[in-house]
Amino acid sequence: MKTSKAEFDATCSLFINSVNNYFRHLTEIDSELNVPYIKQSEGLMLKDYTGMIGISGNRKGFVYISANRIMYEDLIKIFIGIDDPSEEDILDMAGEISNVVAGNVRANLGANFMISVPVVFQGMPSKLKIPEDVSIYVIPIVWNNHEAFVVIGLQ
Amino acid sequence: MKTSKAEFDATCSLFINSVNNYFRHLTEIDSELNVPYIKQSEGLMLKDYTGMIGISGNRKGFVYISANRIMYEDLIKIFIGIDDPSEEDILDMAGEISNVVAGNVRANLGANFMISVPVVFQGMPSKLKIPEDVSIYVIPIVWNNHEAFVVIGLQ
C-alpha cells in the first residue's frame, strides 16, 4: 500500500509541528523550518550525529533527525546545564530529540503509527540505502543558528 | 515495560528459526548458529553492510543483520545468478535478508510485533548507541563459510 500524497503531507505536517513544539517549549528559542522537499534515497545527507527511529503500523517507514555536535551541545547546556558534555551525553541527546519528536507524532496518530527505539550513530556511513518504494521527505531546520535535518521515509 | 527473560528468549528463538529457514530453503546450504550472547550497547560489531529494521508493537526495539560483502555476493549468485553484482545489488540484498527474516518473525508473532522498512548502511559508523534500557542479543551465524551477525534489541 503506497502512501497517498495527502496522507504523506499530513504526516509531515505533524512532524513539523512536533519539531516546532520541541524547540519552542523546551528551549524557548523558536526553530525555523525551511521548505520541505522530496528526495531520492541516493545522496541523503547526514550530519555528525543521527537519531533514527523505525515506523510501523498502517505504513512502514523511518524518521531520523541529524545535526552537528554543536547543536546537541547547546541543547544539553539549556536542558541540563552542562557546558562540557561527554560523548555519551551527545549520543543520548541525539536519541532523545528523535524519540520525543516521533513520540509526539505517535501520540497524534494513535495505534496505527508505531515507533521503534532510537538508534543513534555518529558519522556518515559510506552508503545509506532506503528501499525504492519509500518516499523520502526532507525538512531542513535552523535552530539557534544550527542547521539540522528531519528526514521522513514512508512506504 | 521491560522484556521478561522468557519472552526475550522466545523472540530470539523465532529469529534463529527464521534465519535457519532463510538459508536452508532459499540457498539449500544450512547456516550454523553459534551460541547467542547478551551484549552491552558499547562495542557492537558491524561488518561491511548492515540492514537494520525497527520493531514496535508490544515491545520496541530493532533487529539488524550485518555481514561482509562476500556473503551478499554469494547470496546474489545463488538467487539471481549474477557473478559480479553492483553496489546497488549488494545494498538491496542486505535489505532483503533482514526484511525477510524479520517479516517471518512478524508473521509468527502477529499484530503485536510490527516492523519498519529496512535501512541499509555500508561501513561502521564511528559510534552506534542504543538506549540503555534495551537488552541486546547477538546471534553469530556462519553460512557458506561466511560469518555474520543477527543482533536483536528489545526494550
Side-chain angles (χ1 to χ4, degrees):
Chain A
M1 198 159 44
K2 292 282 278 183
T3 308
S4 76
K5 173 91 173 60
E7 191 187 354
F8 196 71
D9 287 353
T11 305
C12 290
S13 294
L14 288 173
F15 272 100
I16 290 172
N17 290 337
S18 182
V19 169
N20 276 331
N21 286 337
Y22 183 88
F23 286 112
R24 181 173 309 137
H25 292 140
L26 295 181
T27 73
E28 296 179 0
I29 303 169
D30 276 352
S31 52
E32 290 166 45
L33 275 70
N34 293 316
V35 181
Y37 52 94
I38 305 281
K39 184 117 184 58
Q40 299 303 311
S41 153
E42 296 88 57
L44 269 180
M45 291 296 298
L46 296 179
K47 291 184 167 278
D48 294 348
Y49 295 85
T50 301
M52 184 175 279
I53 293 187
I55 294 172
S56 49
N58 270 3
R59 306 293 175 184
K60 290 179 177 183
F62 68 88
V63 59
Y64 71 71
I65 298 181
S66 194
N68 285 338
R69 185 183 177 99
I70 189 157
M71 187 182 101
Y72 300 115
E73 284 178 351
D74 274 9
L75 285 170
I76 291 168
K77 211 176 285 176
I78 291 173
F79 290 158
I80 321 181
I82 296 176
D83 277 336
D84 185 21
S86 66
E87 190 63 26
E88 198 69 11
D89 293 333
I90 300 282
L91 292 162
D92 284 345
M93 189 69 237
E96 178 69 9
I97 181 171
S98 52
N99 203 32
V100 172
V101 166
N104 286 338
V105 174
R106 163 144 181 40
N108 266 281
L109 289 177
N112 291 326
F113 183 93
M114 313 199 72
I115 59 173
S116 75
V117 296
V119 172
V120 179
F121 50 89
Q122 182 195 359
M124 176 84 186
S126 314
K127 292 242 157 97
L128 188 70
K129 163 89 185 177
I130 315 296
E132 302 288 340
D133 58 351
V134 171
S135 306
I136 298 170
Y137 209 66
V138 179
I139 308 170
I141 311 173
V142 178
W143 171 80
N144 209 17
N145 296 319
H146 307 308
E147 194 185 49
F149 293 106
V150 179
V151 176
I152 304 157
L154 288 177
Q155 218 165 27
Chain B
M1 199 159 41
K2 292 281 279 183
T3 308
S4 76
K5 172 90 172 59
E7 192 187 352
F8 197 71
D9 288 352
T11 304
C12 289
S13 294
L14 288 173
F15 272 99
I16 291 172
N17 290 336
S18 182
V19 169
N20 276 331
N21 286 337
Y22 183 88
F23 287 113
R24 182 173 308 137
H25 292 139
L26 295 181
T27 73
E28 297 180 358
I29 303 169
D30 276 353
S31 52
E32 290 166 45
L33 276 69
N34 292 315
V35 181
Y37 52 93
I38 305 280
K39 184 118 185 59
Q40 300 302 311
S41 153
E42 297 89 57
L44 268 180
M45 291 297 296
L46 296 180
K47 292 184 166 276
D48 293 348
Y49 295 85
T50 300
M52 183 176 279
I53 292 186
I55 294 172
S56 49
N58 270 3
R59 306 294 175 183
K60 289 179 179 184
F62 68 88
V63 60
Y64 71 72
I65 299 182
S66 195
N68 286 338
R69 185 183 177 99
I70 189 156
M71 186 180 101
Y72 299 116
E73 286 179 348
D74 273 9
L75 285 170
I76 291 169
K77 209 175 289 176
I78 291 173
F79 289 159
I80 321 181
I82 296 176
D83 277 336
D84 184 22
S86 67
E87 189 64 23
E88 198 69 11
D89 293 333
I90 300 283
L91 292 161
D92 284 346
M93 188 70 238
E96 178 70 9
I97 180 170
S98 52
N99 203 32
V100 172
V101 166
N104 287 338
V105 173
R106 167 155 180 26
N108 266 283
L109 288 176
N112 291 325
F113 182 92
M114 313 200 71
I115 59 172
S116 75
V117 296
V119 172
V120 178
F121 49 90
Q122 182 195 359
M124 177 83 186
S126 315
K127 292 241 158 96
L128 188 72
K129 163 88 183 175
I130 315 295
E132 301 289 341
D133 59 351
V134 170
S135 306
I136 298 170
Y137 209 67
V138 179
I139 308 170
I141 311 173
V142 178
W143 172 79
N144 209 16
N145 296 319
H146 307 309
E147 194 185 48
F149 292 107
V150 179
V151 177
I152 304 157
L154 288 177
Q155 219 166 27

